[in-house]
Amino acid sequence: MSELLTRHRAVMPSWMPLYYESPLEIVSGSGSRVTDAEGRTYLDFFTGIATNMLGYDVAEVREAVERQIARGVVHTSTLYLIRGQVELAERIARLSGIPDAKVFFTNSGTEANETALLLATHARGSDEVLALRGSYHGRSFGTVAVTGNRVWKNSSLSPLNVHYLHGTDHAAPAFRGMTDQEYVEACVADLRDVLDTAAPDVACLIAEPVQGVGGFQMPPDGLYAAYKEVLDEHGILFVSDEVQTGWGRTGSSFFGIGAHGVTPDAMTFAKGLGNGFAVGGVVARGDLMDRLPALGVATFGGNPVSMAAAGAALDYVLEHDLQGNALRQGSLIMSGLRALTALPSVKDVRGRGLMFAVEMADPVTGAPSAALAGRALEEARERGLLVGKGGVHGNVLRMAPPLTLSTEDAAEGRDLLLEAVHAVAA
């Protein structure tokens, strides 16, 4: 055991997971690659759980941050005007497509989702919230309450009255033989039944376009549009959790909800926007955002340094058409990975843009296999590739490479992953 690992375990919570049998310390990075404390370099297909969406050591982001720090102002609080905050909010409001949108900045996705839940429950005067099975929305008391993934759910206690809907469980026995359209109709019928029998006064539905921690499970395109028709009949608000799916990562749209052809009442965001700097927030209809009666701030939310990083990162995404690159490189990777479904130990390969996953299963029983996923994680590292792991059963390899990924790196990472999974299957 390394000296740093011993110290980590002595002072950090036991519920903070570390990857790998021998956890690594990343000390430097450039482009799509990182180097550990022992001098070994890896191709990074997980990028700090999708936070480093441009990769590492991006000059434009670094220089924007350095210019702000050189002014001597790292933080002022939102009690003063912050030019970078206003400029970034203007751009996000415009890009969101939400009418008369306003933006509130936080430090994380958890805080962003807490804020969205506060907006919705106050506006509707109700503590009833709809969420999806398999979802993940954060680690705080309120966001754990709307998380439908028991691996990350620390408490059954809740400040909210939560009802869970179907949406990403098409493979479940009850739905397995259905077409996508039949599954959507069944999900909508279930939503109506929930509203008729168990949830008479719902504030909002909060849902991820692609379930990140849930193993990149996703509903059929159009499901949320069908849900929203029902929600609108009852005046129920819709919050799209874009913490992992925003800024073009899915390739097919700038925000993940675009695949469903609807405009939500609010969207939450975080992770990649700051390219490693702490940035989160909510963009919502102005009337919804302004309805809160009490004062509120996020002390470090929207601070000048994070705003400089986020503004430069957003510039880079738009100027280099990284949404288009996510679509191209994701297609290249997925076209190679689909062959893995011929293996008895691979239950599914799925993805959208630069979010893709390989679901591992026991080759004899077909049951989810966290052990095989863990072994594949190690095999990938041995070959010089870093990937993630998730899913309700911990049996899914999940990848979110930088949006700047080159064709050469995409092909290399794909091939290394193929080797790792084949090694486990053998």
Side-chain angles (χ1 to χ4, degrees):
M1 185 184 301
S2 74
E3 178 256 353
L4 183 60
L5 178 57
T6 301
R7 291 165 56 193
H8 173 99
R9 289 180 172 168
V11 296
M12 308 302 287
S14 59
W15 41 260
M16 278 179 60
L18 288 168
Y19 274 174
Y20 305 115
E21 294 169 1
S22 299
L24 60 83
E25 176 192 5
I26 293 174
V27 297
S28 64
S30 178
S32 299
R33 298 176 190 272
V34 294
T35 302
D36 69 14
E38 297 179 354
R40 183 169 186 194
T41 297
Y42 303 87
L43 179 59
D44 189 357
F45 264 31
F46 204 39
T47 57
I49 320 180
T51 54
N52 299 303
M53 73 173 177
L54 307 183
Y56 299 87
D57 195 24
V58 179
E60 290 84 346
V61 176
R62 183 182 67 249
E63 290 165 4
V65 169
E66 288 173 346
R67 284 194 298 272
Q68 180 59 46
I69 291 174
R71 296 188 181 106
V73 178
V74 173
H75 183 63
T76 63
S77 94
T78 53
L79 297 175
Y80 306 99
L81 289 169
I82 302 172
R83 184 172 298 274
Q85 184 185 68
V86 173
E87 291 173 346
L88 184 60
E90 290 171 338
R91 300 175 70 192
I92 292 172
R94 185 171 61 254
L95 288 164
S96 74
I98 296 174
D100 303 315
K102 289 192 173 185
V103 180
F104 179 75
F105 289 107
T106 65
N107 301 292
S108 68
T110 291
E111 286 184 55
N113 284 329
E114 282 280 0
T115 303
L117 292 168
L118 177 62
L119 294 175
T121 53
H122 174 75
R124 294 278 292 161
S126 169
D127 67 349
E128 289 190 328
V129 173
L130 302 174
L132 260 64
R133 301 179 186 193
S135 61
Y136 175 83
H137 297 288
R139 58 167 178 76
S140 63
F141 193 40
T143 55
V144 162
V146 294
T147 287
N149 186 330
R150 65 181 297 175
V151 176
W152 296 89
K153 202 171 181 72
N154 282 304
S155 176
S156 61
L157 301 174
S158 173
L160 301 165
N161 187 357
V162 184
H163 305 271
Y164 291 100
L165 304 179
H166 299 288
T168 60
D169 53 0
H170 197 168
F175 308 114
R176 194 173 293 154
M178 294 182 177
T179 65
D180 280 356
Q181 184 56 40
E182 289 169 338
Y183 175 68
V184 169
E185 291 170 359
C187 289
V188 171
D190 178 68
L191 167 59
R192 289 191 181 277
D193 188 58
V194 168
L195 296 178
D196 287 344
T197 60
D201 190 23
V202 173
C204 70
L205 164 65
I206 183 168
E208 303 159 274
V210 179
Q211 291 183 340
V213 174
F216 292 171
Q217 294 278 13
M218 65 192 83
D221 290 353
L223 174 65
Y224 291 153
Y227 272 169
K228 195 169 188 306
E229 286 185 17
V230 179
L231 301 179
D232 288 347
E233 292 172 12
H234 297 266
I236 299 168
L237 301 169
F238 178 40
V239 178
S240 182
D241 180 341
E242 301 277 352
V243 169
Q244 294 201 34
T245 50
W247 323 115
R249 177 163 291 281
T250 63
S252 55
S253 57
F254 198 65
F255 294 101
I257 195 61
H260 296 266
V262 296
T263 301
D265 299 288
M267 292 194 295
T268 58
F269 58 85
K271 287 195 181 291
L273 179 60
N275 203 52
F277 284 83
V279 183
V282 183
V283 53
R285 291 187 347 240
D287 65 306
L288 179 59
M289 187 74 81
D290 286 341
R291 199 172 296 180
L292 294 181
L295 300 176
V297 300
T299 299
F300 288 103
N303 82 82
V305 175
S306 290
M307 294 297 95
L314 186 55
D315 282 341
Y316 200 101
V317 167
L318 297 171
E319 291 170 5
H320 293 82
D321 184 26
L322 295 190
Q323 179 184 330
N325 192 58
L327 184 61
R328 289 189 298 274
Q329 306 309 339
S331 298
L332 170 68
I333 292 167
M334 284 295 293
S335 66
L337 295 184
R338 287 194 184 97
L340 290 173
T341 56
L343 298 174
S345 55
V346 174
K347 182 178 181 180
D348 190 25
V349 174
R350 54 183 175 265
R352 172 159 279 165
L354 285 176
M355 299 182 78
F356 49 95
V358 178
E359 184 172 353
M360 307 297 292
D362 185 288
V364 177
T365 67
S369 178
L372 287 181
R375 189 65 249 155
L377 195 81
E378 298 285 351
E379 292 284 350
R381 177 191 176 178
E382 289 178 15
R383 287 162 173 78
L385 178 69
L386 302 184
V387 301
K389 192 160 72 76
V392 173
H393 303 286
N395 65 316
V396 181
L397 301 172
R398 59 187 182 118
M399 281 67 68
L403 302 186
T404 52
L405 191 71
S406 68
T407 299
E408 293 74 20
D409 285 349
E412 179 185 344
R414 175 201 63 201
D415 293 345
L416 291 174
L417 185 59
L418 286 169
E419 288 179 18
V421 176
H422 277 287
V424 171

PDB file of all heavy atoms in Angstrom, residues 206-239:
ATOM      1  N   ILE A 206     -38.021  15.634 -12.436  1.00  0.00           N
ATOM      2  CA  ILE A 206     -36.599  15.877 -12.693  1.00  0.00           C
ATOM      3  C   ILE A 206     -36.033  14.614 -13.320  1.00  0.00           C
ATOM      4  O   ILE A 206     -36.248  13.500 -12.824  1.00  0.00           O
ATOM      5  CB  ILE A 206     -35.835  16.276 -11.409  1.00  0.00           C
ATOM      6  CG1 ILE A 206     -34.365  16.600 -11.755  1.00  0.00           C
ATOM      7  CG2 ILE A 206     -35.948  15.227 -10.312  1.00  0.00           C
ATOM      8  CD1 ILE A 206     -33.600  17.271 -10.615  1.00  0.00           C
ATOM      9  N   ALA A 207     -35.338  14.773 -14.453  1.00  0.00           N
ATOM     10  CA  ALA A 207     -34.859  13.596 -15.189  1.00  0.00           C
ATOM     11  C   ALA A 207     -33.608  13.936 -15.977  1.00  0.00           C
ATOM     12  O   ALA A 207     -33.434  15.068 -16.444  1.00  0.00           O
ATOM     13  CB  ALA A 207     -35.947  13.094 -16.132  1.00  0.00           C
ATOM     14  N   GLU A 208     -32.743  12.942 -16.119  1.00  0.00           N
ATOM     15  CA  GLU A 208     -31.540  13.059 -16.945  1.00  0.00           C
ATOM     16  C   GLU A 208     -31.850  12.563 -18.361  1.00  0.00           C
ATOM     17  O   GLU A 208     -32.431  11.485 -18.514  1.00  0.00           O
ATOM     18  CB  GLU A 208     -30.414  12.194 -16.383  1.00  0.00           C
ATOM     19  CG  GLU A 208     -30.027  12.483 -14.945  1.00  0.00           C
ATOM     20  CD  GLU A 208     -29.316  11.283 -14.324  1.00  0.00           C
ATOM     21  OE1 GLU A 208     -30.011  10.379 -13.815  1.00  0.00           O
ATOM     22  OE2 GLU A 208     -28.061  11.253 -14.361  1.00  0.00           O
ATOM     23  N   PRO A 209     -31.436  13.275 -19.399  1.00  0.00           N
ATOM     24  CA  PRO A 209     -31.584  12.743 -20.756  1.00  0.00           C
ATOM     25  C   PRO A 209     -30.802  11.445 -20.969  1.00  0.00           C
ATOM     26  O   PRO A 209     -31.227  10.576 -21.728  1.00  0.00           O
ATOM     27  CB  PRO A 209     -31.043  13.873 -21.635  1.00  0.00           C
ATOM     28  CG  PRO A 209     -31.243  15.106 -20.818  1.00  0.00           C
ATOM     29  CD  PRO A 209     -30.985  14.677 -19.403  1.00  0.00           C
ATOM     30  N   VAL A 210     -29.648  11.339 -20.335  1.00  0.00           N
ATOM     31  CA  VAL A 210     -28.887  10.095 -20.277  1.00  0.00           C
ATOM     32  C   VAL A 210     -28.475   9.914 -18.818  1.00  0.00           C
ATOM     33  O   VAL A 210     -27.879  10.818 -18.234  1.00  0.00           O
ATOM     34  CB  VAL A 210     -27.631  10.119 -21.169  1.00  0.00           C
ATOM     35  CG1 VAL A 210     -26.865   8.809 -21.055  1.00  0.00           C
ATOM     36  CG2 VAL A 210     -27.983  10.417 -22.620  1.00  0.00           C
ATOM     37  N   GLN A 211     -28.797   8.779 -18.225  1.00  0.00           N
ATOM     38  CA  GLN A 211     -28.477   8.582 -16.814  1.00  0.00           C
ATOM     39  C   GLN A 211     -26.989   8.314 -16.648  1.00  0.00           C
ATOM     40  O   GLN A 211     -26.491   7.251 -17.030  1.00  0.00           O
ATOM     41  CB  GLN A 211     -29.305   7.427 -16.253  1.00  0.00           C
ATOM     42  CG  GLN A 211     -30.788   7.762 -16.158  1.00  0.00           C
ATOM     43  CD  GLN A 211     -31.614   6.653 -15.538  1.00  0.00           C
ATOM     44  OE1 GLN A 211     -31.191   5.494 -15.498  1.00  0.00           O
ATOM     45  NE2 GLN A 211     -32.799   6.990 -15.056  1.00  0.00           N
ATOM     46  N   GLY A 212     -26.273   9.288 -16.092  1.00  0.00           N
ATOM     47  CA  GLY A 212     -24.827   9.189 -15.994  1.00  0.00           C
ATOM     48  C   GLY A 212     -24.359   8.080 -15.084  1.00  0.00           C
ATOM     49  O   GLY A 212     -23.841   7.045 -15.526  1.00  0.00           O
ATOM     50  N   VAL A 213     -24.532   8.270 -13.779  1.00  0.00           N
ATOM     51  CA  VAL A 213     -24.119   7.269 -12.804  1.00  0.00           C
ATOM     52  C   VAL A 213     -24.879   5.963 -13.030  1.00  0.00           C
ATOM     53  O   VAL A 213     -24.378   4.876 -12.736  1.00  0.00           O
ATOM     54  CB  VAL A 213     -24.338   7.803 -11.374  1.00  0.00           C
ATOM     55  CG1 VAL A 213     -24.064   6.730 -10.327  1.00  0.00           C
ATOM     56  CG2 VAL A 213     -23.430   9.010 -11.128  1.00  0.00           C
ATOM     57  N   GLY A 214     -26.073   6.057 -13.602  1.00  0.00           N
ATOM     58  CA  GLY A 214     -26.877   4.875 -13.870  1.00  0.00           C
ATOM     59  C   GLY A 214     -26.349   3.998 -14.985  1.00  0.00           C
ATOM     60  O   GLY A 214     -26.995   3.013 -15.355  1.00  0.00           O
ATOM     61  N   GLY A 215     -25.191   4.336 -15.543  1.00  0.00           N
ATOM     62  CA  GLY A 215     -24.574   3.491 -16.558  1.00  0.00           C
ATOM     63  C   GLY A 215     -24.934   3.880 -17.977  1.00  0.00           C
ATOM     64  O   GLY A 215     -24.944   3.044 -18.872  1.00  0.00           O
ATOM     65  N   PHE A 216     -25.197   5.194 -18.176  1.00  0.00           N
ATOM     66  CA  PHE A 216     -25.531   5.731 -19.502  1.00  0.00           C
ATOM     67  C   PHE A 216     -26.756   5.052 -20.110  1.00  0.00           C
ATOM     68  O   PHE A 216     -26.833   4.856 -21.319  1.00  0.00           O
ATOM     69  CB  PHE A 216     -24.333   5.665 -20.448  1.00  0.00           C
ATOM     70  CG  PHE A 216     -23.206   6.591 -20.050  1.00  0.00           C
ATOM     71  CD1 PHE A 216     -21.980   6.528 -20.683  1.00  0.00           C
ATOM     72  CD2 PHE A 216     -23.355   7.512 -19.037  1.00  0.00           C
ATOM     73  CE1 PHE A 216     -20.935   7.376 -20.325  1.00  0.00           C
ATOM     74  CE2 PHE A 216     -22.322   8.372 -18.661  1.00  0.00           C
ATOM     75  CZ  PHE A 216     -21.109   8.295 -19.310  1.00  0.00           C
ATOM     76  N   GLN A 217     -27.696   4.691 -19.251  1.00  0.00           N
ATOM     77  CA  GLN A 217     -28.999   4.259 -19.726  1.00  0.00           C
ATOM     78  C   GLN A 217     -29.754   5.482 -20.238  1.00  0.00           C
ATOM     79  O   GLN A 217     -29.619   6.576 -19.685  1.00  0.00           O
ATOM     80  CB  GLN A 217     -29.802   3.614 -18.597  1.00  0.00           C
ATOM     81  CG  GLN A 217     -29.232   2.310 -18.082  1.00  0.00           C
ATOM     82  CD  GLN A 217     -29.624   1.114 -18.954  1.00  0.00           C
ATOM     83  OE1 GLN A 217     -30.118   1.266 -20.063  1.00  0.00           O
ATOM     84  NE2 GLN A 217     -29.393  -0.077 -18.436  1.00  0.00           N
ATOM     85  N   MET A 218     -30.552   5.305 -21.270  1.00  0.00           N
ATOM     86  CA  MET A 218     -31.300   6.438 -21.798  1.00  0.00           C
ATOM     87  C   MET A 218     -32.681   6.005 -22.257  1.00  0.00           C
ATOM     88  O   MET A 218     -32.868   4.877 -22.719  1.00  0.00           O
ATOM     89  CB  MET A 218     -30.529   7.099 -22.937  1.00  0.00           C
ATOM     90  CG  MET A 218     -30.323   6.250 -24.177  1.00  0.00           C
ATOM     91  SD  MET A 218     -29.111   6.989 -25.308  1.00  0.00           S
ATOM     92  CE  MET A 218     -27.569   6.405 -24.559  1.00  0.00           C
ATOM     93  N   PRO A 219     -33.659   6.893 -22.114  1.00  0.00           N
ATOM     94  CA  PRO A 219     -35.002   6.577 -22.587  1.00  0.00           C
ATOM     95  C   PRO A 219     -35.070   6.661 -24.101  1.00  0.00           C
ATOM     96  O   PRO A 219     -34.215   7.298 -24.731  1.00  0.00           O
ATOM     97  CB  PRO A 219     -35.860   7.666 -21.947  1.00  0.00           C
ATOM     98  CG  PRO A 219     -34.925   8.820 -21.797  1.00  0.00           C
ATOM     99  CD  PRO A 219     -33.573   8.230 -21.518  1.00  0.00           C
ATOM    100  N   PRO A 220     -36.057   6.043 -24.717  1.00  0.00           N
ATOM    101  CA  PRO A 220     -36.231   6.218 -26.160  1.00  0.00           C
ATOM    102  C   PRO A 220     -36.463   7.691 -26.488  1.00  0.00           C
ATOM    103  O   PRO A 220     -37.111   8.410 -25.715  1.00  0.00           O
ATOM    104  CB  PRO A 220     -37.485   5.388 -26.468  1.00  0.00           C
ATOM    105  CG  PRO A 220     -37.659   4.464 -25.314  1.00  0.00           C
ATOM    106  CD  PRO A 220     -37.083   5.155 -24.127  1.00  0.00           C
ATOM    107  N   ASP A 221     -35.943   8.144 -27.599  1.00  0.00           N
ATOM    108  CA  ASP A 221     -36.188   9.519 -28.024  1.00  0.00           C
ATOM    109  C   ASP A 221     -37.687   9.773 -28.077  1.00  0.00           C
ATOM    110  O   ASP A 221     -38.447   8.956 -28.602  1.00  0.00           O
ATOM    111  CB  ASP A 221     -35.580   9.778 -29.404  1.00  0.00           C
ATOM    112  CG  ASP A 221     -34.059   9.805 -29.367  1.00  0.00           C
ATOM    113  OD1 ASP A 221     -33.498   9.761 -28.264  1.00  0.00           O
ATOM    114  OD2 ASP A 221     -33.447   9.865 -30.453  1.00  0.00           O
ATOM    115  N   GLY A 222     -38.097  10.887 -27.524  1.00  0.00           N
ATOM    116  CA  GLY A 222     -39.504  11.240 -27.543  1.00  0.00           C
ATOM    117  C   GLY A 222     -40.260  10.894 -26.278  1.00  0.00           C
ATOM    118  O   GLY A 222     -41.392  11.371 -26.091  1.00  0.00           O
ATOM    119  N   LEU A 223     -39.655  10.089 -25.397  1.00  0.00           N
ATOM    120  CA  LEU A 223     -40.377   9.740 -24.169  1.00  0.00           C
ATOM    121  C   LEU A 223     -40.670  10.982 -23.340  1.00  0.00           C
ATOM    122  O   LEU A 223     -41.792  11.164 -22.837  1.00  0.00           O
ATOM    123  CB  LEU A 223     -39.587   8.740 -23.326  1.00  0.00           C
ATOM    124  CG  LEU A 223     -40.211   8.440 -21.955  1.00  0.00           C
ATOM    125  CD1 LEU A 223     -41.557   7.745 -22.116  1.00  0.00           C
ATOM    126  CD2 LEU A 223     -39.290   7.613 -21.078  1.00  0.00           C
ATOM    127  N   TYR A 224     -39.676  11.858 -23.183  1.00  0.00           N
ATOM    128  CA  TYR A 224     -39.893  13.039 -22.353  1.00  0.00           C
ATOM    129  C   TYR A 224     -40.905  13.993 -22.991  1.00  0.00           C
ATOM    130  O   TYR A 224     -41.618  14.705 -22.283  1.00  0.00           O
ATOM    131  CB  TYR A 224     -38.571  13.749 -22.079  1.00  0.00           C
ATOM    132  CG  TYR A 224     -37.642  12.964 -21.170  1.00  0.00           C
ATOM    133  CD1 TYR A 224     -36.262  13.131 -21.238  1.00  0.00           C
ATOM    134  CD2 TYR A 224     -38.138  12.054 -20.243  1.00  0.00           C
ATOM    135  CE1 TYR A 224     -35.410  12.410 -20.413  1.00  0.00           C
ATOM    136  CE2 TYR A 224     -37.292  11.327 -19.414  1.00  0.00           C
ATOM    137  CZ  TYR A 224     -35.925  11.514 -19.502  1.00  0.00           C
ATOM    138  OH  TYR A 224     -35.079  10.809 -18.688  1.00  0.00           O
ATOM    139  N   ALA A 225     -40.972  14.007 -24.315  1.00  0.00           N
ATOM    140  CA  ALA A 225     -42.011  14.804 -24.974  1.00  0.00           C
ATOM    141  C   ALA A 225     -43.387  14.242 -24.633  1.00  0.00           C
ATOM    142  O   ALA A 225     -44.338  14.999 -24.363  1.00  0.00           O
ATOM    143  CB  ALA A 225     -41.796  14.813 -26.487  1.00  0.00           C
ATOM    144  N   ALA A 226     -43.503  12.918 -24.640  1.00  0.00           N
ATOM    145  CA  ALA A 226     -44.774  12.286 -24.283  1.00  0.00           C
ATOM    146  C   ALA A 226     -45.106  12.529 -22.810  1.00  0.00           C
ATOM    147  O   ALA A 226     -46.279  12.785 -22.460  1.00  0.00           O
ATOM    148  CB  ALA A 226     -44.705  10.788 -24.573  1.00  0.00           C
ATOM    149  N   TYR A 227     -44.085  12.457 -21.943  1.00  0.00           N
ATOM    150  CA  TYR A 227     -44.301  12.769 -20.539  1.00  0.00           C
ATOM    151  C   TYR A 227     -44.759  14.219 -20.375  1.00  0.00           C
ATOM    152  O   TYR A 227     -45.673  14.526 -19.604  1.00  0.00           O
ATOM    153  CB  TYR A 227     -43.016  12.546 -19.740  1.00  0.00           C
ATOM    154  CG  TYR A 227     -42.820  11.140 -19.213  1.00  0.00           C
ATOM    155  CD1 TYR A 227     -41.596  10.753 -18.662  1.00  0.00           C
ATOM    156  CD2 TYR A 227     -43.841  10.192 -19.236  1.00  0.00           C
ATOM    157  CE1 TYR A 227     -41.389   9.479 -18.158  1.00  0.00           C
ATOM    158  CE2 TYR A 227     -43.649   8.910 -18.748  1.00  0.00           C
ATOM    159  CZ  TYR A 227     -42.425   8.556 -18.210  1.00  0.00           C
ATOM    160  OH  TYR A 227     -42.233   7.289 -17.705  1.00  0.00           O
ATOM    161  N   LYS A 228     -44.104  15.131 -21.110  1.00  0.00           N
ATOM    162  CA  LYS A 228     -44.392  16.547 -20.919  1.00  0.00           C
ATOM    163  C   LYS A 228     -45.823  16.894 -21.331  1.00  0.00           C
ATOM    164  O   LYS A 228     -46.442  17.793 -20.748  1.00  0.00           O
ATOM    165  CB  LYS A 228     -43.393  17.420 -21.678  1.00  0.00           C
ATOM    166  CG  LYS A 228     -43.429  18.891 -21.230  1.00  0.00           C
ATOM    167  CD  LYS A 228     -42.278  19.692 -21.769  1.00  0.00           C
ATOM    168  CE  LYS A 228     -42.231  21.087 -21.152  1.00  0.00           C
ATOM    169  NZ  LYS A 228     -43.494  21.837 -21.282  1.00  0.00           N
ATOM    170  N   GLU A 229     -46.366  16.198 -22.303  1.00  0.00           N
ATOM    171  CA  GLU A 229     -47.772  16.435 -22.667  1.00  0.00           C
ATOM    172  C   GLU A 229     -48.683  16.194 -21.467  1.00  0.00           C
ATOM    173  O   GLU A 229     -49.612  16.963 -21.208  1.00  0.00           O
ATOM    174  CB  GLU A 229     -48.178  15.519 -23.821  1.00  0.00           C
ATOM    175  CG  GLU A 229     -47.613  15.925 -25.178  1.00  0.00           C
ATOM    176  CD  GLU A 229     -48.151  15.041 -26.288  1.00  0.00           C
ATOM    177  OE1 GLU A 229     -49.173  14.350 -26.059  1.00  0.00           O
ATOM    178  OE2 GLU A 229     -47.556  15.043 -27.384  1.00  0.00           O
ATOM    179  N   VAL A 230     -48.389  15.121 -20.735  1.00  0.00           N
ATOM    180  CA  VAL A 230     -49.183  14.813 -19.542  1.00  0.00           C
ATOM    181  C   VAL A 230     -48.897  15.823 -18.432  1.00  0.00           C
ATOM    182  O   VAL A 230     -49.817  16.309 -17.758  1.00  0.00           O
ATOM    183  CB  VAL A 230     -48.891  13.379 -19.053  1.00  0.00           C
ATOM    184  CG1 VAL A 230     -49.697  13.061 -17.793  1.00  0.00           C
ATOM    185  CG2 VAL A 230     -49.182  12.366 -20.153  1.00  0.00           C
ATOM    186  N   LEU A 231     -47.630  16.153 -18.234  1.00  0.00           N
ATOM    187  CA  LEU A 231     -47.267  17.122 -17.203  1.00  0.00           C
ATOM    188  C   LEU A 231     -47.960  18.455 -17.441  1.00  0.00           C
ATOM    189  O   LEU A 231     -48.469  19.086 -16.498  1.00  0.00           O
ATOM    190  CB  LEU A 231     -45.748  17.322 -17.170  1.00  0.00           C
ATOM    191  CG  LEU A 231     -44.871  16.096 -16.907  1.00  0.00           C
ATOM    192  CD1 LEU A 231     -43.401  16.481 -16.935  1.00  0.00           C
ATOM    193  CD2 LEU A 231     -45.222  15.437 -15.578  1.00  0.00           C
ATOM    194  N   ASP A 232     -47.971  18.894 -18.697  1.00  0.00           N
ATOM    195  CA  ASP A 232     -48.577  20.185 -19.026  1.00  0.00           C
ATOM    196  C   ASP A 232     -50.072  20.202 -18.718  1.00  0.00           C
ATOM    197  O   ASP A 232     -50.632  21.244 -18.350  1.00  0.00           O
ATOM    198  CB  ASP A 232     -48.349  20.523 -20.497  1.00  0.00           C
ATOM    199  CG  ASP A 232     -46.901  20.898 -20.799  1.00  0.00           C
ATOM    200  OD1 ASP A 232     -46.138  21.123 -19.836  1.00  0.00           O
ATOM    201  OD2 ASP A 232     -46.537  20.941 -21.994  1.00  0.00           O
ATOM    202  N   GLU A 233     -50.724  19.067 -18.860  1.00  0.00           N
ATOM    203  CA  GLU A 233     -52.152  18.993 -18.538  1.00  0.00           C
ATOM    204  C   GLU A 233     -52.417  19.323 -17.068  1.00  0.00           C
ATOM    205  O   GLU A 233     -53.483  19.820 -16.707  1.00  0.00           O
ATOM    206  CB  GLU A 233     -52.684  17.589 -18.829  1.00  0.00           C
ATOM    207  CG  GLU A 233     -52.724  17.211 -20.302  1.00  0.00           C
ATOM    208  CD  GLU A 233     -53.075  15.742 -20.496  1.00  0.00           C
ATOM    209  OE1 GLU A 233     -53.504  15.095 -19.509  1.00  0.00           O
ATOM    210  OE2 GLU A 233     -52.919  15.237 -21.632  1.00  0.00           O
ATOM    211  N   HIS A 234     -51.415  19.056 -16.229  1.00  0.00           N
ATOM    212  CA  HIS A 234     -51.563  19.249 -14.782  1.00  0.00           C
ATOM    213  C   HIS A 234     -50.773  20.456 -14.269  1.00  0.00           C
ATOM    214  O   HIS A 234     -50.765  20.713 -13.054  1.00  0.00           O
ATOM    215  CB  HIS A 234     -51.095  17.991 -14.042  1.00  0.00           C
ATOM    216  CG  HIS A 234     -51.897  16.769 -14.352  1.00  0.00           C
ATOM    217  ND1 HIS A 234     -52.968  16.356 -13.584  1.00  0.00           N
ATOM    218  CD2 HIS A 234     -51.804  15.874 -15.378  1.00  0.00           C
ATOM    219  CE1 HIS A 234     -53.491  15.254 -14.098  1.00  0.00           C
ATOM    220  NE2 HIS A 234     -52.807  14.937 -15.185  1.00  0.00           N
ATOM    221  N   GLY A 235     -50.088  21.174 -15.150  1.00  0.00           N
ATOM    222  CA  GLY A 235     -49.271  22.306 -14.721  1.00  0.00           C
ATOM    223  C   GLY A 235     -47.987  21.909 -14.024  1.00  0.00           C
ATOM    224  O   GLY A 235     -47.354  22.721 -13.330  1.00  0.00           O
ATOM    225  N   ILE A 236     -47.571  20.653 -14.185  1.00  0.00           N
ATOM    226  CA  ILE A 236     -46.363  20.144 -13.525  1.00  0.00           C
ATOM    227  C   ILE A 236     -45.127  20.595 -14.298  1.00  0.00           C
ATOM    228  O   ILE A 236     -45.087  20.528 -15.532  1.00  0.00           O
ATOM    229  CB  ILE A 236     -46.411  18.610 -13.436  1.00  0.00           C
ATOM    230  CG1 ILE A 236     -47.618  18.163 -12.604  1.00  0.00           C
ATOM    231  CG2 ILE A 236     -45.117  18.055 -12.855  1.00  0.00           C
ATOM    232  CD1 ILE A 236     -47.923  16.673 -12.703  1.00  0.00           C
ATOM    233  N   LEU A 237     -44.109  21.050 -13.591  1.00  0.00           N
ATOM    234  CA  LEU A 237     -42.882  21.553 -14.208  1.00  0.00           C
ATOM    235  C   LEU A 237     -41.948  20.408 -14.591  1.00  0.00           C
ATOM    236  O   LEU A 237     -42.005  19.323 -14.002  1.00  0.00           O
ATOM    237  CB  LEU A 237     -42.176  22.508 -13.241  1.00  0.00           C
ATOM    238  CG  LEU A 237     -43.003  23.728 -12.798  1.00  0.00           C
ATOM    239  CD1 LEU A 237     -42.324  24.450 -11.655  1.00  0.00           C
ATOM    240  CD2 LEU A 237     -43.249  24.669 -13.965  1.00  0.00           C
ATOM    241  N   PHE A 238     -41.086  20.672 -15.562  1.00  0.00           N
ATOM    242  CA  PHE A 238     -40.119  19.671 -16.011  1.00  0.00           C
ATOM    243  C   PHE A 238     -38.711  20.240 -15.900  1.00  0.00           C
ATOM    244  O   PHE A 238     -38.408  21.303 -16.469  1.00  0.00           O
ATOM    245  CB  PHE A 238     -40.412  19.259 -17.457  1.00  0.00           C
ATOM    246  CG  PHE A 238     -39.439  18.252 -18.020  1.00  0.00           C
ATOM    247  CD1 PHE A 238     -38.960  17.202 -17.251  1.00  0.00           C
ATOM    248  CD2 PHE A 238     -38.991  18.341 -19.333  1.00  0.00           C
ATOM    249  CE1 PHE A 238     -38.067  16.276 -17.758  1.00  0.00           C
ATOM    250  CE2 PHE A 238     -38.100  17.424 -19.860  1.00  0.00           C
ATOM    251  CZ  PHE A 238     -37.641  16.389 -19.066  1.00  0.00           C
ATOM    252  N   VAL A 239     -37.863  19.547 -15.145  1.00  0.00           N
ATOM    253  CA  VAL A 239     -36.455  19.933 -14.960  1.00  0.00           C
ATOM    254  C   VAL A 239     -35.573  18.897 -15.643  1.00  0.00           C
ATOM    255  O   VAL A 239     -35.634  17.709 -15.316  1.00  0.00           O
ATOM    256  CB  VAL A 239     -36.096  20.017 -13.457  1.00  0.00           C
ATOM    257  CG1 VAL A 239     -34.616  20.374 -13.292  1.00  0.00           C
ATOM    258  CG2 VAL A 239     -36.998  21.018 -12.745  1.00  0.00           C
TER     259      VAL A 239
END
